[in-house]
Amino acid sequence: MSRKPEEASCRLTIDGREIVVAADTPVIDAAERLGIMIPRFCYHPALGAVGACRMCAVKFLDGPVKGLQMSCMVGARDGMVVSTTNPEAVDFRRQVVEWLMANHPHDCPVCDEGGHCLLQDETISGGHALRRYRGPKRTYRDQDLGPFVAHEMNRCIHCYRCARFYQEVAGGRDYGVLSIARRTYFGRYEGGRLESPFAGNIIDLCPTGTLTDKPSRYRARRWDLERGPSVCLHCSLGCGLTVGARYREVMKLEARLNPEVNGHFICDRGRYGFGYESRPDRPRQPRVDGRETIAGAALAALAEGLKPFEAGKVAMVGGTRSNLETLAALLGLCRDQGWRPPVFFRDARLAGAAESAAAALSGDLVASLADVGRADVILVVCADPLAEAPMLALSLRRAARRGAAVLVLDHRPCDLPCEAERLTFAPQELAGCLSRLAHAALRGRKEAAAYLSSLPLPPDLLPETALALDTWGKRLAEARFPLVVCGTDQAEPTLPALAGGLARLLAGSHDQDRRAGFLPLLPGPNGLAAALAGGGDLEALLADIEDGRATALLVVESDLLSRTPEPERWLAALRKLKLLAVCDHLPSPLLEAAHVVLPSRTVFEAGGHFVNQEGRLQRAMPVFSPGLPMGRTLREGHPPRLFMSCAPGSEPRPAADWLKDLAGLLGAGGRAGDWADLAAAFPGLPGLAAGPAPENGRRCLPETAPGADAPSVAKTGSPDVPPDHLQVLLVERTFGTEELSCRAPLLAASAPEPWVDLAAADAGKAGLAHGAWLLVPLPGGPLRARLRVHQDMAPGLLLLPRDPRLLWQRLAGTGVLVELLRLHAITAEEEPAGEDTTLEAEP
Amino acid sequence: MSLWLAGLALLLVKIGLVLFVVLTGAAYLVLAERKLLARFQLRLGPNRAGPLGIWQPLADALKLLMKEDTVPAGADRPLFLAAPAMSAATAMLIFAVVPFGDSLTIAGRPVPLVVADVSVGLLFVLALSSIGVYGVVLGGWASNSSFSLLGAIRGGAQMISYELPLALSLAPVVMLAGSFSLVDIVSAQAGCPFIVKQPAAFLIFCVSALAESKRLPFDLPEAENELMAGYHTEYSGMRFGLYFVGEYVNMIALGCLVAVFFLGGWRGPLLPPFVWLMLKAALVPLVLIWVRATLPRLRFDQLMHSSWKVLTPLALANILVTGGLMAALG
Amino acid sequence: MLPEMVKLRRKGEELLEDGLGLLRPFATTLGMLFTRPITVQYPEEKRVLPARSRGRIILTRSPDGDERCVACFLCSAACPVSCISMEAATREDGRRYASWFRINFGRCIFCGLCEEACPTLAIQLTPDYEFSKATIMELVYEKPALLVDHGGKDPDYDFYRHAGVTEKGEKGSHVNEQEPVDVKRLLP
């Protein structure tokens, strides 16, 4: 949103230079805009000022405020004259840093913050180089804060950044300030894992080594890291990351400031979802029929193998985690060779939902994550923010803290870090409920008539539920900036179109100043590009392979065997194929079945462009060159001494390069693969033509979406659930289910034990208690998992996470129903996980 | 016939002896210079090859002989190959006219202790010194290298400039001796060496000879810190060795000439004439080494200045004064 | 005296001074000829270098016998020729250490900046200068070859006695430390 012109601005002088800023901007911020970095510890633009550290003292020479003041606590006013270099201020800051250092331990050599430590920098720049204090130092006992955050309380300078973030921004309750005065302590009441999925941010925020990154503890210094900007691939939000790699291994990921997307923070799934790039079982060598070979030979074998097939029998499967370059190469290959259009989505429902969400998006309607924080009424339909796009939950909390109402319409027990009003319905009822809500919101609007008439009929509702929906509709209609969030993972294909249509009509309801936003959650970091490219779905492809309509299959960065609920059927179908080629960097059973394996590079090595759910084109830079991590090449404890031009295991190439070279071998006539080709591959993203992404990305959606006002809504065929039966739904969790991060060793080792969800009413009927071990009879065999019982969840559902540690693939099909009374708890004697139980050992 | 043959044999024996003495002397002069320079600089000098390093010259010679003889691309090959020989040969040819002693009488026949008693011996010496310039100029020019060419140009200019005072300083000697023959000049100093009668000519000759030998403080053609090695930058192996030999033979030759022209040649009491000559001749190389250890290199303008504006006028004045005195005293 | 005479006399003095200036160096060099050479006959006579001279680099141990190096990367950061490389790791007992540590003496210029940068006095330069090798690969020294079993120039310093971290000794047990704060005490 652009700043309103009437907003008061003021002119102030800092160190002899004038600047005009909005009134009440903290002086420390105004100085930073001039390039003057006033020392600070407690002030942070995302956390605000508390004036705790006294480090940002400056001298106000003239104006409404005079004397030595904390620049973070004073808002800018007209006529202020500020000196940051006044001897009094400099001396004051020198004293502050000296007393902050009085109790600071002498342990920089074994402190991971050393090298990027604000306290180090400001101690030295403040002129305090020699300790004068000779007395005994205060010490604290440290806590174990879980697998991600290391705690060394002696180093703390009490800036309160961690506690302010944890409690205010992230809404966590298990970490904060204890005790008073010189005993002030930052920690938990008792040691233990930090519960918030955003806890990792306190590492970035801590200006000292009190809170440091535990996975990369004692491994590298900041100055030795190969660092580069990147994009998070663990959901469709595309948060900014800074990758730090050392010795051909990612050491840590940090949040990269992207004001319109993630701001200063990222979730722990993004922060610790790396490590799949250095798994020992990662494919690094091209293979043909199981034998390792070199790149050229593998490509030649593939091109030769593809020649006998008639074009219509060759199918391609792409992944939404591939970069835009790969998707463009894939689309180009299919088009030029006349192959079947590439398949990106696992089933028709998801493909339909993603495509309808993509069709509903346009530049004038789409909302960024930052817009979520600005909205005043937010309707979340069929989305579980913490599980599907964790940073969305943080934005919802920001909005809620500013007074926005968060209205959640979903079937799952969505856990949000903020106050939210909730209504739960079965997934097939959501469209109908949205219809009732839309009728209430758009009542009497002529331009909405076509939309309203296309809506499905609302289901039979309890009076109070119907009233609540009507109230929600009115509040959306009256809101200054209403925003609709819609998930696609669980949604019926028409639901995103309905939600988008509602948002569009809300935007146009009053005067021109008013705006509304629509934010769909799409599957995968490049879900929007894949949805715009269209194509079929994997279920249909499976049927075609079984019928012999497709006999050659190329799978590019898509792990269909471990993501499908029907692995046995797929395995049987794959055996019918005459040619199976796989290009991926993740280990999977698919690689064993493949005739040709082409190892691709991860985003850390290949970089590439990604388009997030708001159509924002963002670029990840290649950070390091592929190769075996140094630690895996050691001989007799130290690295090899032979000098080679390439690192061992550096065979992987970007998937886009494999595909372009394959196209060349197949005689596509040397497509250059330049940016113009890429832009031409995605007509739905006209903004691509302007070139590669700038630093904070660029929106590429068309300004308006033709025909999006009147979505064509087909009646959805929802399963009729017989009484006393449960519909088994596969769901996402914050940790442990997403395609890439479930391969990350850090998260796999530390993700909470997987569980299944059941509504309290159903649990009561079946006599099952919260926390019990449950045996679920599935078509492919029994599944054993812990049960969680929820009050705020639609009845008639059993939520099963796609967690590789659970044998969820015993589901053996979609739309599976389970008889409620056949669920039973198993006794404590059966509890220990044996060989034949459901808890599968992670390789 | 047999007489002629005996004369030829005698000549060959004399040439062989002279060359042996001169070349061995040059080799050991190298060692002496390195040792002395080392001691002047508080070092020890070569002391690894044999006791006190006496086999060092042999080792150096072996090393030079076994090194690759490179000819740079673009060099004028025949000239490049011939130039070092020219430099060494002219230095050695000087010894043809140096008398090593009075005539001996062997088998009733007088045998002069000189390879060739040429009546214009002094002119022969000056001519050889002029031809020596070619060794430098052609070697530098044929190398096809900027450093070499610059060194050669400097060398040519310097040697031609100093030939003039060199020759002029000898004019009074000739006037006093009444002959160009070196044997006669030595004979003319029977009473009193010319250094006493001609101190100015002696000084001018010494300085000019120093410049002719291209040694410090007149080593501009080689000037290591500007021109790598000057005119012989591109030379290697024994061809480089020949330039080296030429330089040191030239030093001994200068010593002999100084002895012959100013110090009375082989004349002296008690010791045999040859030893006297050698002692006197050794004096000059030793002083040259001392000078090298003491004085820094001149600038080129100082070099030219001292030749044309100081030494040449002085030498001319010396001739006039000598002439005048001779006329006055009869 | 007439001014001309003064001028002439000054000229004469200058000439004399110039002449002496030409001759005096000869006396100096001649004097050197009879002075004892300072050359040391190296392989036969070996100079004993002062303890602070900068030769072969070692990794020392603290008084308790544990290696001092904590792999803080300051030496490799300070090294102007990047001849030091290492990988930091955590030992079983939680202590930070270098899992491998390599100095390429073929590249080292013995400037001593690593020693100055070392906060734990682990890396030290010794007076040992005799370690030429026949092949350049032998000049790449690994940690076992660098580690010695003494404390070098400062045998008594122990970083962990001052650091305040719990790797060696509980909180409050190090030099100049108070008892750990009891955060659950209610007294003001």
Side-chain angles (χ1 to χ4, degrees):
Chain A
M1 251 192 334
S2 61
R3 191 181 295 128
K4 292 194 185 79
E6 65 267 26
E7 200 168 310
S9 63
C10 61
R11 178 182 296 270
L12 68 164
T13 311
I14 304 174
D15 286 348
R17 292 159 67 194
E18 283 203 345
I19 186 172
V20 178
V21 292
D24 283 332
T25 308
V27 171
I28 196 170
D29 252 9
E32 203 174 328
R33 268 179 240 176
L34 278 175
I36 302 166
M37 197 70 179
I38 299 175
R40 83 282 305 268
F41 289 120
C42 68
Y43 178 78
H44 189 278
L47 304 177
V50 287
C53 71
R54 318 310 288 169
M55 194 61 202
C56 63
V58 294
K59 180 95 169 175
F60 287 78
L61 303 173
D62 201 4
V65 185
K66 280 201 183 144
L68 203 62
Q69 295 284 343
M70 300 308 123
S71 57
C72 69
M73 299 298 283
V74 179
R77 284 275 178 276
D78 242 344
M80 277 182 169
V81 178
V82 183
S83 168
T84 65
T85 53
N86 184 283
E88 202 183 325
V90 170
D91 193 51
F92 182 86
R93 294 201 297 260
R94 193 188 55 71
Q95 285 177 36
V96 169
V97 88
E98 182 163 6
W99 79 56
L100 286 177
M101 286 300 291
N103 280 310
H104 196 79
H106 177 70
D107 63 355
C108 292
V110 293
C111 173
D112 272 331
E113 195 81 356
H116 59 288
C117 175
L118 207 55
L119 185 62
Q120 268 184 347
D121 293 351
E122 289 180 2
T123 303
I124 297 303
S125 67
H128 174 61
L130 275 179
R131 182 187 294 275
R132 293 190 292 172
Y133 173 69
R134 295 284 164 206
K137 293 180 194 173
R138 176 185 54 205
T139 58
Y140 293 98
R141 289 199 175 86
D142 306 324
Q143 286 179 333
D144 178 12
L145 295 180
F148 298 140
V149 183
H151 194 222
E152 179 62 52
M153 194 53 207
N154 280 4
R155 300 171 183 151
C156 183
I157 57 165
H158 305 98
C159 70
Y160 288 76
R161 273 189 188 184
C162 55
R164 280 148 69 207
F165 170 81
Y166 201 86
Q167 297 187 340
E168 295 169 16
V169 177
R173 289 156 174 263
D174 57 316
Y175 177 93
V177 196
L178 282 79
S179 199
I180 54 164
R182 64 185 306 282
R183 298 200 302 274
T184 308
Y185 187 83
F186 294 87
R188 290 161 55 92
Y189 184 72
E190 274 177 340
R193 182 180 174 146
L194 292 172
E195 286 164 9
S196 169
F198 306 101
N201 290 303
I202 60 178
I203 296 163
D204 286 357
L205 284 170
C206 181
T208 73
T210 308
L211 300 165
T212 49
D213 191 50
K214 206 178 248 181
S216 70
R217 181 170 156 91
Y218 291 172
R219 297 206 61 191
R221 289 272 175 225
R222 164 73 71 89
W223 62 69
D224 280 330
L225 295 181
E226 294 175 79
R227 297 177 87 228
S230 191
V231 177
C232 178
L233 304 190
H234 301 303
C235 69
S236 66
L237 296 178
C239 299
L241 290 181
T242 300
V243 180
R246 167 103 169 128
Y247 289 146
R248 303 195 290 271
E249 198 171 355
V250 177
M251 283 286 141
K252 60 170 146 184
L253 303 180
E254 291 157 294
R256 177 170 60 88
L257 173 64
N258 190 342
E260 280 301 307
V261 182
N262 57 317
H264 289 85
F265 308 120
I266 52 170
C267 65
D268 284 1
R269 182 158 101 192
R271 186 180 297 269
Y272 297 109
F274 65 91
Y276 55 85
E277 79 293 335
S278 49
R279 284 177 71 112
D281 51 358
R282 172 178 167 184
R284 289 184 182 272
Q285 195 69 33
R287 288 207 301 264
V288 174
D289 293 327
R291 285 191 316 277
E292 294 198 338
T293 178
I294 56 169
L299 263 181
L302 178 56
E304 204 53 43
L306 280 168
K307 280 195 178 138
F309 291 96
E310 55 181 278
K313 294 211 166 183
V314 182
M316 284 195 98
V317 175
T320 52
R321 60 180 156 94
S322 296
N323 58 22
L324 209 57
E325 287 84 348
T326 306
L327 297 188
L330 199 137
L331 290 166
L333 195 58
C334 288
R335 188 185 55 230
D336 294 346
Q337 301 296 324
W339 294 344
R340 299 157 59 97
V343 175
F344 296 106
F345 298 105
R346 61 171 182 264
D347 52 40
R349 190 197 48 71
L350 183 64
E355 279 164 28
S356 80
L361 278 172
S362 64
D364 56 351
L365 186 67
V366 71
S368 67
L369 265 194
D371 289 333
V372 175
R374 297 176 191 125
D376 59 348
V377 178
I378 302 165
L379 176 67
V380 180
V381 187
C382 199
D384 183 357
L386 265 188
E388 291 174 42
M391 279 305 287
L392 176 61
L394 212 60
S395 293
L396 289 176
R397 178 173 168 83
R398 189 162 72 239
R401 286 183 71 214
R402 288 185 183 172
V406 179
L407 317 171
V408 183
L409 199 61
D410 195 45
H411 50 280
R412 286 165 288 182
C414 303
D415 186 21
L416 282 176
C418 62
E419 291 286 315
E421 293 167 51
R422 308 217 33 218
L423 286 174
T424 48
F425 299 97
Q428 60 272 20
E429 291 173 338
L430 287 174
C433 295
L434 191 66
S435 152
R436 168 118 202 176
L437 189 150
H439 276 287
L442 303 172
R443 183 162 298 136
R445 297 267 307 277
K446 281 203 286 296
E447 70 273 24
Y451 168 74
L452 290 177
S453 63
S454 73
L455 291 176
L457 287 178
D460 298 331
L461 295 168
L462 294 173
E464 62 265 29
T465 326
L467 186 66
L469 280 173
D470 291 346
T471 324
W472 283 14
K474 283 199 198 88
R475 282 161 75 182
L476 276 171
E478 287 158 11
R480 179 181 50 79
F481 181 7
L483 193 134
V484 181
V485 175
C486 183
T488 50
D489 186 58
Q490 305 277 308
E492 298 293 325
T494 54
L495 193 65
L498 294 182
L502 172 64
R504 185 169 300 280
L505 288 163
L506 285 171
S509 59
H510 294 311
D511 51 299
Q512 286 306 102
D513 270 357
R514 193 188 133 104
R515 59 174 299 209
F518 176 53
L519 189 150
L521 295 177
L522 292 165
N526 248 337
L528 181 62
L532 288 170
D537 63 87
L538 281 176
E539 279 177 343
L541 178 65
L542 178 58
D544 282 355
I545 295 173
E546 284 171 337
D547 295 351
R549 285 196 294 271
T551 50
L553 182 64
L554 268 67
V555 183
V556 181
E557 300 194 322
S558 171
D559 188 4
L560 43 92
L561 265 189
S562 35
R563 305 295 290 171
T564 174
E566 301 160 290
E568 299 299 329
R569 205 178 138 204
W570 263 107
L571 272 176
L574 291 180
R575 276 195 284 274
K576 286 189 175 176
L577 287 173
K578 295 203 178 71
L579 178 67
L580 172 63
V582 180
C583 174
D584 206 346
H585 53 74
L586 289 182
S588 78
L590 203 59
L591 296 174
E592 304 309 316
H595 302 113
V596 180
V597 175
L598 306 173
S600 72
R601 291 189 187 178
T602 62
V603 65
F604 308 117
E605 299 143 355
H609 283 80
F610 294 88
V611 179
N612 76 354
Q613 84 296 324
E614 54 158 324
R616 183 178 295 273
L617 178 74
Q618 298 194 98
R619 183 177 202 174
M621 299 304 282
V623 178
F624 65 103
S625 22
L628 281 179
M630 181 80 95
R632 219 158 315 130
T633 62
L634 301 190
R635 302 270 178 281
E636 296 163 19
H638 51 74
R641 292 171 163 216
L642 288 175
F643 293 100
M644 290 180 283
S645 55
C646 63
S650 58
E651 204 58 34
R653 308 172 63 208
D657 288 2
W658 283 119
L659 295 178
K660 278 180 210 155
D661 287 356
L662 178 64
L665 284 179
L666 291 174
R671 294 186 63 83
D674 61 3
W675 190 260
D677 286 341
L678 190 147
F682 298 99
L685 295 168
L688 286 183
E695 191 188 339
N696 284 336
R698 183 184 68 235
R699 273 195 189 158
C700 291
L701 285 171
E703 206 39 44
T704 51
D709 277 340
S712 58
V713 177
K715 180 78 184 92
T716 54
S718 56
D720 289 325
V721 183
D724 289 338
H725 276 68
L726 297 173
Q727 196 181 343
V728 182
L729 286 183
L730 289 171
V731 293
E732 297 287 326
R733 298 267 192 250
T734 312
F735 300 110
T737 60
E738 186 267 328
E739 192 174 356
L740 283 171
S741 67
C742 72
R743 254 61 161 247
L746 283 172
L747 289 183
S750 67
E753 189 180 41
W755 71 92
V756 295
D757 297 305
L758 204 57
D762 295 329
K765 264 189 239 167
L768 298 167
H770 188 88
W773 281 97
L774 197 65
L775 207 62
V776 185
L778 291 177
L783 176 142
R784 214 182 76 122
R786 279 267 194 207
L787 173 68
R788 286 198 190 176
V789 176
H790 301 271
Q791 296 291 341
D792 50 354
M793 176 182 154
L797 300 176
L798 179 74
L799 304 185
L800 179 61
R802 282 188 199 90
D803 193 314
R805 291 172 297 172
L806 279 184
L807 291 181
W808 64 272
Q809 286 184 318
R810 288 187 174 172
L811 202 58
T814 47
V816 173
L817 300 178
V818 185
E819 220 175 303
L820 175 61
L821 293 174
R822 286 189 61 206
L823 297 180
H824 62 277
I826 43 182
T827 56
E829 288 83 63
E830 296 170 76
E831 266 187 29
E835 290 304 310
D836 56 339
T837 53
T838 55
L839 277 171
E840 191 182 43
E842 176 70 13
Chain B
M1 184 66 201
S2 65
L3 207 65
W4 184 81
L5 266 180
L8 184 67
L10 192 65
L11 191 66
L12 288 177
V13 167
K14 279 199 274 191
I15 292 174
L17 273 175
V18 168
L19 281 183
F20 174 76
V21 169
V22 164
L23 288 177
T24 315
Y28 276 89
L29 186 57
V30 175
L31 180 62
E33 168 153 41
R34 291 178 62 181
K35 280 288 210 186
L36 279 175
L37 270 183
R39 294 303 304 269
F40 276 124
Q41 294 162 354
L42 297 186
R43 294 184 285 114
L44 284 174
N47 64 351
R48 295 276 148 180
L52 296 174
I54 52 165
W55 302 127
Q56 188 68 35
L58 211 66
D60 282 344
L62 270 175
K63 180 195 77 173
L64 286 172
L65 281 170
M66 286 158 80
K67 277 199 159 184
E68 188 191 356
D69 180 18
T70 57
V71 180
D76 188 323
R77 199 177 164 87
L79 282 181
F80 184 82
L81 298 184
M86 217 179 286
S87 200
T90 49
M92 284 189 263
L93 275 175
I94 291 177
F95 286 94
V97 294
V98 174
F100 293 93
D102 213 350
S103 297
L104 285 181
T105 310
I106 294 172
R109 303 183 64 85
V111 177
L113 281 185
V114 59
V115 177
D117 181 11
V118 187
S119 58
V120 289
L122 194 142
L123 294 183
F124 177 76
V125 167
L126 289 177
L128 280 178
S129 129
S130 299
I131 292 171
V133 181
Y134 283 99
V136 172
V137 172
L138 291 180
W141 180 79
S143 295
N144 188 31
S145 149
S146 320
F147 291 125
S148 302
L149 188 62
L150 280 172
I153 291 168
R154 284 187 188 186
Q158 172 179 337
M159 290 170 83
I160 289 166
S161 299
Y162 277 87
E163 237 165 56
L164 200 62
L166 187 80
L168 289 175
S169 70
L170 289 180
V173 172
V174 176
M175 284 156 70
L176 289 179
S179 165
F180 281 112
S181 161
L182 269 57
V183 177
D184 292 347
I185 290 173
V186 173
S187 314
Q189 297 176 69
C192 147
F194 283 158
I195 186 173
V196 182
K197 290 181 183 168
Q198 285 291 340
F202 172 72
L203 272 178
I204 295 168
F205 181 81
C206 280
V207 173
S208 307
L210 194 57
E212 285 288 290
S213 71
K214 308 180 291 294
R215 286 178 58 86
L216 266 168
F218 298 106
D219 69 337
L220 285 100
E222 296 174 33
E224 283 85 357
N225 33 12
E226 306 156 29
L227 299 180
M228 320 272 287
Y231 59 91
H232 58 66
T233 302
E234 302 295 338
Y235 282 92
S236 65
M238 204 54 216
R239 241 168 264 285
F240 165 74
L242 276 180
Y243 271 123
F244 219 68
V245 167
E247 181 181 339
Y248 283 84
V249 170
N250 202 30
M251 274 165 78
I252 299 176
L254 283 174
C256 289
L257 292 180
V258 167
V260 167
F261 292 141
F262 294 103
L263 302 179
W266 41 266
R267 288 176 188 282
L270 297 173
L271 293 171
F274 176 72
V275 175
W276 266 116
L277 182 76
M278 282 296 110
L279 280 178
K280 289 175 184 175
L283 213 60
V284 169
L286 291 181
V287 171
L288 287 185
I289 291 165
W290 189 10
V291 168
R292 178 176 174 184
T294 308
L295 294 182
R297 184 182 306 133
L298 290 180
R299 260 189 351 244
F300 200 74
D301 62 319
Q302 292 168 334
L303 179 89
M304 287 293 145
H305 177 96
S306 70
S307 164
W308 295 104
K309 293 189 180 170
V310 181
L311 294 179
T312 309
L314 260 179
L316 285 170
N318 194 26
I319 294 171
L320 283 178
V321 169
T322 308
L325 281 177
M326 281 173 75
L329 299 176
Chain C
M1 258 195 293
L2 290 168
E4 285 77 26
M5 293 280 285
V6 175
K7 223 184 242 173
L8 211 65
R9 191 173 159 189
R10 196 168 295 151
K11 195 92 186 167
E13 278 169 0
E14 272 174 23
L15 254 172
L16 189 70
E17 190 55 36
D18 286 358
L20 281 176
L22 193 68
L23 294 179
R24 253 191 234 115
F26 284 91
T28 309
T29 43
L30 199 64
M32 290 297 123
L33 195 59
F34 300 104
T35 310
R36 209 182 151 71
I38 56 165
T39 307
V40 176
Q41 292 291 298
Y42 163 59
E44 294 89 22
E45 303 171 40
K46 283 171 187 164
R47 281 183 68 189
V48 179
L49 297 185
R52 286 176 49 176
S53 49
R54 304 190 305 255
R56 184 169 60 88
I57 298 172
I58 54 170
L59 288 175
T60 59
R61 288 181 188 271
S62 56
D64 64 0
D66 208 345
E67 51 192 78
R68 274 177 173 159
C69 175
V70 296
C72 70
F73 293 100
L74 282 177
C75 52
S76 62
C79 181
V81 291
S82 302
C83 71
I84 305 179
S85 47
M86 76 191 86
E87 189 163 10
T90 314
R91 215 164 59 181
E92 288 90 38
D93 59 358
R95 188 186 170 293
R96 183 178 173 131
Y97 82 116
S99 60
W100 53 267
F101 192 105
R102 171 181 284 181
I103 298 181
N104 184 348
F105 282 113
R107 225 192 261 178
C108 179
I109 56 169
F110 303 98
C111 62
L113 288 180
C114 51
E115 184 176 10
E116 277 186 50
C118 185
T120 63
L121 306 185
I123 193 164
Q124 295 184 8
L125 275 74
T126 62
D128 180 11
Y129 50 88
E130 288 183 302
F131 64 117
S132 311
K133 301 285 184 241
T135 59
I136 199 156
M137 274 306 179
E138 287 176 67
L139 284 170
V140 180
Y141 274 47
E142 304 291 349
K143 191 170 160 188
L146 294 166
L147 204 58
V148 297
D149 55 359
H150 55 80
K153 286 171 239 181
D154 294 276
D156 300 327
Y157 182 75
D158 187 354
F159 166 74
Y160 280 105
R161 296 261 306 117
H162 303 266
V165 290
T166 53
E167 268 83 338
K168 293 205 176 165
E170 284 307 305
K171 288 289 173 82
S173 70
H174 306 101
V175 174
N176 226 4
E177 271 189 353
Q178 293 170 352
E179 275 298 296
V181 166
D182 178 5
V183 292
K184 289 170 187 167
R185 201 164 58 115
L186 290 174
L187 293 173

